[in-house]
C-alpha cells in the first residue's frame, strides 16, 4: 500500500474509532437514563418528561437505523454515495437530539466524555486536511467555531419560572434546531476539507435562540455555560468572516 494511502487509512481509522466511541458512550448513558425512568414507574412525570423520553428513544433507534442503512449503502457504492463520515455525522446528530434533554437519571460526565470523542475525531480530520493543503488558520478556526457552536446548544431542563408554558416549547425548539444546524455543519465539515463557510443562518439561530432561553430563565438560574460558549462562538464567527473577506481581496 502506497505511503499516502497508508496515512489516509490511519486517519480514517482513528476518526472512525472516536466517532464510534461517541455512539457507544452516549448510547450507554441514554439507556441507563431510560432504565432509571422506567424503574421509577414514570411516577409524577409531566408532559416534558414524556417528550424527553420519547425523543431519547427515537434518537437511539433512529441514529443506529440511519447509520446501518446509509453506511452499508456507502460501502457498497462508495463512489456513488460519497463519504461515510458524512453519513455518520447525520447519525451522530440524530443521537445528539436525545443527548440534549435532561431525563431522569442523566449522567453528565458520561455525556461530556462522549461529546469529547466526536471532537477528537473532528480534530483528527482538521489535522489531516491541514497536512494535505494550506489555510491551516482557516481550518483550525473552523474547527473551533463548530466546537463552540456545539457547546452553545442548550440542554432541555425543567423550570419553575412563571412563564414555563412559554419557555419550555421555546427551549425544546431552540435545542433541536441548533442540533440540526450543528449536524449540517458537521456533515459539511467531514465531506469537505475541514473548513466552515461561517454562514449567517446557523449563527442567527444560535444567537437569538440562546439569548431567548437565557433571558427567560435569568431570574431562576443563569446558564453561564451556554452564555460563555455563545460569546466564544460569536467572536469566532466574526473572526471567520473577516478572514473570508481578507482572502477574497
Amino acid at each position: 500500500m502506497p505511503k499516502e494511502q497508508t496515512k489516509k487509512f490511519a486517519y480514517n481509522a482513528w476518526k472512525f474509532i472516536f466517532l464510534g466511541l461517541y455512539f457507544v458512550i452516549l448510547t450507554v448513558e441514554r439507556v441507563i437514563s431510560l432504565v432509571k425512568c422506567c424503574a421509577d414507574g414514570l411516577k409524577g412525570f409531566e408532559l416534558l418528561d414524556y417528550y424527553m423520553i420519547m425523543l431519547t428513544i427515537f434518537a437511539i433507534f433512529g441514529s443506529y437505523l440511519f447509520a446501518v442503512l446509509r453506511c452499508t449503502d456507502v460501502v457498497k457504492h462508495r463512489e456513488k454515495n460519497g463519504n461515510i463520515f458524512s453519513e455518520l455525522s447525520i447519525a451522530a446528530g440524530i443521537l445528539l437530539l436525545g443527548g440534549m434533554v435532561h431525563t431522569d437519571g442523566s449522567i453528565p460526565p458520561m455525556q461530556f466524555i462522549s461529546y469529547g470523542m466526536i471532537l477528537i475525531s473532528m480534530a483528527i480530520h482538521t489535522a489531516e486536511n491541514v497536512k494535505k493543503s494550506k489555510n491551516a488558520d482557516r481550518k483550525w478556526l473552523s474547527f473551533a467555531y463548530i466546537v463552540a457552536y456545539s457547546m452553545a446548544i442548550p440542554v432541555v431542563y425543567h423550570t419553575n419560572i412563571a412563564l414555563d408554558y412559554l419557555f419550555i416549547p421555546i427551549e425544546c425548539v431552540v435545542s433541536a434546531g441548533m442540533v440540526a444546524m450543528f449536524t449540517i455543519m458537521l456533515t459539511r465539515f467531514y465531506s469537505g476539507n475541514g473548513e466552515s463557510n461561517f454562514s449567517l443562518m446557523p449563527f442567527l439561530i444560535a444567537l437569538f435562540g440562546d439569548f431567548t432561553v437565557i433571558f427567560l430563565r435569568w431570574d431562576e438560574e443563569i446558564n453561564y455555560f451556554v452564555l460563555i460558549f455563545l460569546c466564544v462562538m460569536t467572536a469566532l464567527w466574526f473572526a471567520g468572516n473577516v478572514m473570508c473577506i481578507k482572502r477574497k481581496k
Side-chain angles (χ1 to χ4, degrees), residues 151-172:
M151 293 294 106
I153 300 173
V155 176
V156 176
Y157 283 97
H158 278 282
T159 181
N160 293 315
I161 63 174
L163 295 175
D164 59 344
Y165 63 89
L166 178 64
F167 173 80
I168 290 175
I170 292 175
E171 181 184 41
C172 293

Side-chain angles (χ1 to χ4, degrees), residues 38-194:
C38 294
D40 291 341
L42 306 179
K43 295 179 181 179
F45 280 13
E46 300 175 3
L47 182 60
L48 179 60
D49 294 297
Y50 290 111
Y51 162 78
M52 294 191 289
I53 290 172
M54 294 306 297
L55 182 62
T56 300
I57 294 173
F58 162 79
I60 294 173
F61 284 100
S63 63
Y64 283 96
L65 180 62
F66 182 90
V68 170
L69 293 177
R70 291 299 301 150
C71 292
T72 301
D73 199 34
V74 169
V75 171
K76 288 182 179 179
H77 314 92
R78 187 171 300 171
E79 292 184 1
K80 179 181 178 182
N81 293 290
N83 193 326
I84 193 171
F85 290 103
S86 297
E87 307 298 342
L88 286 175
S89 297
I90 298 174
I94 296 173
L95 184 60
L96 188 59
L97 284 170
M100 287 291 108
V101 291
H102 191 76
T103 47
D104 190 27
S106 292
I107 310 173
M110 283 188 69
Q111 292 179 337
F112 277 108
I113 291 172
S114 69
Y115 303 150
M117 296 300 101
I118 197 170
L119 299 186
I120 292 173
S121 178
M122 290 173 60
I124 294 172
H125 184 69
T126 300
E128 177 187 13
N129 281 281
V130 166
K131 284 193 174 184
K132 288 195 302 185
S133 59
K134 299 179 180 179
N135 301 335
D137 53 351
R138 170 80 181 260
K139 288 178 172 56
W140 284 113
L141 183 62
S142 297
F143 166 76
Y145 171 68
I146 297 174
V147 169
Y149 194 99
S150 68
M151 293 294 106
I153 300 173
V155 176
V156 176
Y157 283 97
H158 278 282
T159 181
N160 293 315
I161 63 174
L163 295 175
D164 59 344
Y165 63 89
L166 178 64
F167 173 80
I168 290 175
I170 292 175
E171 181 184 41
C172 293
V173 170
V174 171
S175 181
M178 286 187 64
V179 169
M181 292 296 101
F182 168 69
T183 303
I184 293 172
M185 288 191 288
L186 190 63
T187 303
R188 291 175 177 172
F189 173 83
Y190 276 114
S191 63
N193 58 358

